[in-house]
Amino acid sequence: NFPGVTVDVLEARAEHRGRALRVVDLPGLYALASATGDDEEAVARRFLESLAAEGNAVIVQVMDANVPALGLRLTRELCALSMPLVVAATQRDLLEAQGRSLDVDALERALGAPVRLVSARDPADRDGILDAALGALAAPPRAALDAFDPDALGRRVLSEREATAAQRRARTLTPRLDRVLLHPVAGPAAFVALMAGLFSAVFLVADPATAVVERAIGALGGLVGPRLGDGLLRSFVVDGLLGGAGTVLAFFPQIVVLTVAMELLDASGYLARGVFLVDRALRAAGLGGRSFVPLLTGHACAVPAIAATRIVRDPRERLATILVIPLTTCAARIPTYGLLLTAFFASRGALFRALVFVGLYAAGVLSAMLASAVLRRTAVRGRSLPLVLEMPAYHRPSARLVGRTAWRAGVRFLKDVGTTILAASAVLWVLLNIPMPAGLDRAGDTSAM
């Protein structure tokens, strides 16, 4: 993951060896010293410092086994917290596929902390991590760690083995793909084609699901309505509550499909490349590569897009991104665009109307960029932070992890956004219907309207 992808503090409960454990996943960070302000890295730092003061906690640092030197910089700072530490060197499967090995014993001796070489795809590694965590908690305090050079130690514990032909191909896969996907000409072209295919897939998959949901809500209203009579109660339930629920559920398939698509890009390693490719273009509008994901999400729904701006580290850039997201064309505007095209261009050909539709999308993007450029030079002006990200190796996404992420995003949308929309729909119905408009009797006669 490029820095900033993990922006939530996720918490779960686990049972292991007869003990109840509280497991907290913190936002990722590369260094404690640079984590200042109110961003997610600072949240992680303050949380760790509070745990150090309370005690009875273990830090499990997840480190990429393919580039240990990158994680060892943070390890050196974590050792200074005087807390039990376990290092989980992950992506064991990728390491072995490339014909490399990590000297776990040498790394343990250098750090004075248990090290486990694991793969997130292997459920059996879970018990090994929890065993190491409980062992570190019960062990006596670690001795003071001698200063070490992360780069030198990383080179010493990572070694190359005699690789097979398949392992050599795996080792060169990422550089070979990057020669095309990060090419100054071919890279942006491939990126635009991929994004066009992604959005086409979102609407091709989500639109039929949305139509089914809308028909189901309509059928439920037709079933419930007659049982409630023709008064205000029927209108409140059918138009207020079921109408609001229909609005929420109509967006639900798009949120899930877009989350799956973005997670596939992230898990495959391409999302970091996309951020890198659009960074220079977004800099002209006063934004950066990190704003790409929220702006992309805004074409499906502005609510999760605004929530996604948490990955933008610069507070001024984050505010500018939030302010311009509503200018992008979200899915809710598609029926309006269709109505306008039918009303004003019904006599024109399908190709012309398609071009106008694409132009409306492009106008939304252009207006967002222009507004951002103005904002970054006036109300939220200031120097932007440089883009710093890690280019992960390409690998096959895990269907289980992608599915769990999509499920979590869907539940959050229904709980956080759906309840708000449903409540707003009910309040809006009350404001529009009570007191009843003149000419509308309480028996539900609408002939005067």
Side-chain angles (χ1 to χ4, degrees):
N1 294 334
F2 69 90
V5 167
T6 306
V7 296
D8 290 332
V9 177
L10 302 178
E11 185 173 334
R13 301 287 175 172
E15 293 286 340
H16 186 68
R17 310 297 185 198
R19 296 189 59 174
L21 305 177
R22 175 191 176 208
V23 183
V24 180
D25 179 28
L26 297 177
L29 71 165
Y30 282 148
L32 293 175
S34 60
T36 59
D38 295 322
D39 59 9
E40 285 71 28
E41 292 182 354
V43 170
R45 175 182 178 174
R46 289 194 293 268
F47 192 92
L48 290 174
E49 290 174 344
S50 66
L51 287 181
E54 295 174 5
N56 198 34
V58 180
I59 299 175
V60 179
Q61 181 194 358
V62 181
M63 176 194 300
D64 188 349
N66 296 274
V67 282
L70 193 61
L72 287 171
R73 292 180 173 84
L74 177 61
T75 308
R76 186 170 54 184
E77 294 184 273
L78 293 176
C79 290
L81 292 177
S82 300
M83 289 179 61
L85 174 67
V86 175
V87 175
T90 189
Q91 297 198 33
R92 182 193 64 217
D93 52 339
L94 183 60
L95 191 74
E96 294 172 349
Q98 296 180 351
R100 296 174 176 173
S101 62
L102 186 72
D103 192 338
V104 174
D105 293 335
L107 192 55
E108 283 188 342
R109 290 192 299 270
L111 299 179
V115 178
R116 296 292 181 270
L117 184 59
V118 300
S119 170
R121 300 176 184 274
D122 188 356
D125 286 337
R126 171 184 179 272
D127 289 340
I129 290 291
L130 294 178
D131 284 338
L134 290 177
L137 187 61
R142 293 192 320 270
L145 183 66
D146 295 332
F148 65 89
D149 182 357
D151 294 317
L153 180 57
R155 288 191 299 267
R156 181 157 59 87
V157 299
L158 185 64
S159 60
E160 307 282 346
R161 297 200 306 259
E162 184 64 28
T164 65
Q167 288 171 335
R168 286 193 292 269
R169 285 195 298 271
R171 193 180 301 175
T172 59
L173 175 64
T174 294
R176 281 186 292 159
L177 289 176
D178 279 345
R179 278 197 290 270
V180 176
L181 296 178
L182 294 181
H183 188 274
V185 177
F191 174 78
V192 171
L194 182 61
M195 291 299 106
L198 185 150
F199 268 96
S200 299
V202 167
F203 292 119
L204 286 174
V205 175
D207 284 354
T210 299
V212 171
V213 169
E214 290 175 343
R215 284 197 296 269
I217 293 294
L220 182 60
L223 182 65
V224 173
R227 289 171 168 77
L228 299 176
D230 294 325
L232 283 177
L233 179 60
R234 173 190 177 279
S235 178
F236 176 72
V237 172
V238 174
D239 299 329
L241 296 183
L242 290 182
T247 300
V248 174
L249 295 177
F251 286 111
F252 183 74
Q254 297 169 4
I255 298 303
V256 173
V257 174
L258 184 60
T259 300
V260 170
M262 297 302 296
E263 184 64 19
L264 288 174
L265 291 179
D266 181 28
S268 66
Y270 183 75
L271 186 58
R273 274 83 178 173
V275 170
F276 171 78
L277 288 171
V278 301
D279 180 69
R280 179 172 296 181
L282 291 177
R283 291 286 171 188
L287 302 178
R290 293 177 185 272
S291 299
F292 161 68
V293 173
L295 290 172
L296 183 65
T297 308
H299 286 83
C301 181
V303 175
I306 291 175
T309 57
R310 292 175 297 176
I311 68 173
V312 182
R313 297 178 62 189
D314 187 338
R316 297 185 184 89
E317 184 179 319
R318 186 188 308 128
L319 178 58
T321 306
I322 291 172
L323 292 175
V324 303
I325 282 175
L327 296 176
T328 60
T329 301
C330 71
R333 301 182 191 178
I334 294 179
T336 304
Y337 287 173
L339 177 64
L340 293 175
L341 291 174
T342 302
F344 293 100
F345 303 105
S347 61
R348 308 298 294 266
L351 178 60
F352 178 85
R353 284 181 286 172
L355 291 175
V356 173
F357 185 83
V358 173
L360 292 173
Y361 260 87
V365 175
L366 181 61
S367 61
M369 295 300 98
L370 290 175
S372 173
V374 172
L375 287 171
R376 292 292 282 141
R377 289 166 174 78
T378 54
V380 290
R381 63 179 180 272
R383 185 177 180 181
S384 298
L385 295 176
L387 177 67
V388 179
L389 55 83
E390 177 185 349
M391 292 291 185
Y394 292 104
H395 52 274
R396 186 180 72 257
S398 168
R400 180 176 62 90
L401 296 178
V402 171
R404 288 176 61 183
T405 302
W407 172 262
R408 190 164 57 241
V411 170
R412 173 175 293 176
F413 175 77
L414 291 178
K415 184 173 68 173
D416 296 345
V417 179
T419 53
T420 302
I421 294 178
L422 187 62
S425 177
V427 171
L428 185 62
W429 181 93
V430 171
L431 294 176
L432 291 174
N433 292 275
I434 298 177
M436 300 187 71
L440 180 64
D441 62 33
R442 296 190 179 275
D445 183 9
T446 58
S447 60
M449 296 185 65

